[in-house]
Amino acid sequence: MKPFKYSRATSVSTAARQVSANSQAKFLAGGTNIIDLMKEFVERPDELVDVTRLNLSNISTLAAGGISIGATAKNAATANHPLIRQHYPLLSQAILAGASAQIRNMATNGGNLNQRTRCAYFYDIAMPCNKRQPDSGCSALEGVNRMHAIVGWSNQCVAVHPSDMCVALAALDAVVKVQGPDGTARTIPITDYHRLPEDTPHLDNNLRSGELITSIEIPANNFAAHSYYLKVRDRSSYAFALVSVAAAMELNGGTIKQARIAMGGIAHKPWRLTAAESFLAGKTATADNFKLASEQALQEAKPLAHNAFKIELGRRSIVRALQMALGNII
């Protein structure tokens, strides 16, 4: 690990200014990802600014409805918070599907948003990787790419975003609150927070220099009774998704008033299935309609040499997640 300077931030503005002033500085919260990257020399910051003592861990209702989730609240505390479990069980399920209990006890919500891909070529500094070193090449494009993207990828990068929590947040129309070094606060819809690789795969998100996540807000909804997070993986614990589906419906009797569906494990960012959502609106909640909706999804998929199976697996997972959300297991 490269030697680095450590400091403990006393305010959001101070932390943002410190990181903005040094292009080699990083924020430090739970450290479950950045420390691993530093140990492997994948990332080599010369300064870490600790934000864990800032007052950013509250979880509370919003005056206009919905909920605010602090950026430094731990994943485990968030998943098990009574407000989350009662009103946003989809988020609770997604968080509990990720990592291990030990990691969830350390990892923060802001860190979860900003975690980097687990592509093996990204972690292997002996291999070319445009995400790690721009213009060096993408080893996964012609390499072993079973775990990689089937939508939204470019010739520069085929890595996928590893988060489970972010998939649920995408389905729940969450927004990310951030503050910059000059004190300016802004709100970023979660669907715009993460980037597709295009020609800049080294940029994971749309944060500006020095901006610090302060909270995540989820608007009020009527999805709690009919939501489910399905994660398909190679083993039952501590494994990243081959594909995952966050599914939520608001029902009026047997009719779907509205639906939200997002997928993980298939793109550089959580992938909203807006065509499938639109198809389901006004339809009867049946297995046949779920199957038809799944056929609206992944039509733009471009599989790589080793991951074409994700298309059919993804469509079947959509049907399964919707059935589980309905409570009708067929």
Side-chain angles (χ1 to χ4, degrees):
M1 183 184 292
K2 174 183 174 180
F4 59 90
K5 174 185 175 183
Y6 169 86
S7 61
R8 182 174 294 171
T10 56
S11 70
V12 172
S13 296
T14 300
R17 285 195 296 269
Q18 282 183 258
V19 171
S20 178
N22 179 3
S23 63
Q24 300 303 310
K26 296 281 187 180
F27 295 117
L28 174 68
T32 57
N33 189 203
I34 185 65
I35 300 302
D36 282 347
L37 293 170
M38 291 170 67
K39 287 178 178 178
E40 298 294 332
F41 289 94
V42 177
E43 294 212 26
R44 304 183 183 190
D46 62 17
E47 181 178 4
L48 293 181
V49 179
D50 187 338
V51 298
T52 56
R53 301 304 193 275
L54 302 181
N55 185 26
L56 299 176
S57 61
N58 294 331
I59 298 174
S60 59
T61 55
L62 296 166
I67 195 166
S68 174
I69 305 167
T72 61
K74 300 298 177 64
N75 286 174
T78 302
N80 292 305
H81 194 283
L83 289 173
I84 302 295
R85 292 175 68 89
Q86 180 179 356
H87 300 292
Y88 306 95
L90 181 64
L91 178 59
S92 181
Q93 291 174 16
I95 293 173
L96 294 174
S100 65
Q102 294 88 341
I103 291 175
R104 293 193 297 268
N105 284 335
M106 284 295 297
T108 63
N109 296 326
N112 195 304
L113 264 66
N114 287 344
Q115 65 179 299
R116 310 211 68 189
T117 183
R118 274 20 181 230
C119 172
Y121 298 107
F122 173 69
Y123 269 79
D124 185 349
I125 61 174
M127 300 297 293
C129 173
N130 288 322
K131 179 174 283 297
R132 179 173 17 85
Q133 183 178 349
D135 300 321
S136 62
C138 175
S139 296
L141 192 61
E142 300 296 334
V144 179
N145 45 44
R146 176 176 178 268
M147 297 292 292
H148 291 70
I150 58 172
V151 291
W153 57 269
S154 73
N155 288 333
Q156 295 292 309
C157 182
V158 296
V160 297
H161 195 268
S163 174
D164 292 290
M165 183 186 84
C166 291
V167 181
L169 291 174
L172 293 170
D173 297 311
V175 297
V176 182
K177 306 280 284 187
V178 303
Q179 183 174 317
D182 62 355
T184 300
R186 67 185 182 112
T187 299
I188 310 171
I190 187 67
T191 49
D192 296 332
Y193 183 83
H194 298 101
R195 298 169 60 101
L196 292 178
E198 298 178 335
D199 294 326
T200 55
H202 60 291
L203 301 177
D204 292 338
N205 56 57
N206 286 309
L207 286 174
R208 298 167 186 163
S209 175
E211 282 188 325
L212 175 64
I213 301 169
T214 55
S215 64
I216 302 162
E217 294 184 356
I218 305 175
N221 61 57
N222 295 313
F223 297 134
H226 298 290
S227 62
Y228 191 78
Y229 187 75
L230 176 67
K231 182 176 183 178
V232 182
R233 45 190 161 178
D234 285 325
R235 59 180 187 270
S236 61
S237 66
Y238 200 19
F240 295 98
L242 291 168
V243 300
S244 64
V245 180
M249 294 178 288
E250 180 183 354
L251 300 181
N252 181 9
T255 301
I256 303 169
K257 290 184 65 177
Q258 58 176 330
R260 297 289 186 272
I261 311 171
M263 293 190 71
I266 64 168
H268 205 251
K269 60 185 288 184
W271 197 258
R272 270 288 288 270
L273 302 180
T274 53
E277 293 173 357
S278 297
F279 173 84
L280 286 172
K283 300 288 196 310
T284 305
T286 65
D288 287 341
N289 281 330
F290 296 161
K291 186 175 187 300
L292 290 171
S294 75
E295 292 169 0
Q296 305 292 316
L298 304 181
Q299 292 185 0
E300 69 274 54
K302 296 189 299 180
L304 301 163
H306 307 124
N307 66 4
F309 71 93
K310 284 192 177 188
I311 299 175
E312 182 61 20
L313 178 62
R315 288 175 176 156
R316 293 187 182 211
S317 296
I318 293 166
V319 175
R320 181 69 171 177
L322 287 166
Q323 289 174 336
M324 297 291 283
L326 182 63
N328 181 17
I329 313 307
I330 300 173

